[in-house]
Amino acid sequence: MAKLRSKRVTFGDYIEVDKIAAAEKFVNDKGLSSPTKYLIWTSIAEQRTYIFTGSKQNWKLYKTFICSTGKTKTPTPTGTYALTYKVPSFGQNKGYCCKYAFGFIGTTYLYHSIIFDKTGTYLLENKGVLGQKASDGCIRFSPDNAKWFYDNMITKSTVYIN
């Protein structure tokens, strides 16, 4: 019988089975806490965001999304933050559209969809990149994953980025 190599975690993107336990061990060993039932960890090295449910030292992986973080010259800030506010979209007045945005540092850094034209209809050229550093510091998801994050995450949830 073939060895199970990946597993779908509730929703989200595929992850190697061994990585589930490693991700849980990582956040639990960090002693991270959150005032909500969710903890979000974005790994810049892996270009992946992990969403956990539970509580301090008892976090269980719930979902994982491939993402894109900031380019080398426009890096995503590292550290511990909290989700602060959300907006259905932004950028239209600048000629583009990011959907399903949830901020973690003021109005400057957000989790949001890949980038579309200002109508939100067509993906802008080279703006749909996921799995590599591509943004100006925000964290980009696929449209489906961005919508799930927007619809389900709770303001004040802890965000850890390294």
Side-chain angles (χ1 to χ4, degrees), residues 21-33 39 41 52 55-59 160:
E24 290 172 351
K25 179 176 180 356
F26 177 83
V27 296
N28 287 312
D29 285 353
K30 283 273 180 207
L32 297 168
S33 63
L39 171 71
W41 167 38
F52 301 87
S55 58
K56 185 175 181 176
Q57 315 245 281
N58 192 31
W59 296 109
Y160 177 70

Side-chain angles (χ1 to χ4, degrees), residues 5 29-30 37 42 51-52 78 92 95 110 162:
R5 299 198 55 91
D29 285 353
K30 283 273 180 207
K37 67 180 183 176
T42 296
I51 299 163
F52 301 87
T78 58
Q92 292 86 341
L110 307 99
N162 75 334

Side-chain angles (χ1 to χ4, degrees), residues 2 10 33 46 50 90 102 108 110 114 138-139 143 147 156:
T10 312
S33 63
E46 296 176 41
Y50 299 91
F90 70 92
F102 214 137
T108 306
L110 307 99
I114 52 180
C138 288
I139 299 167
K147 180 159 181 15
K156 298 184 181 176

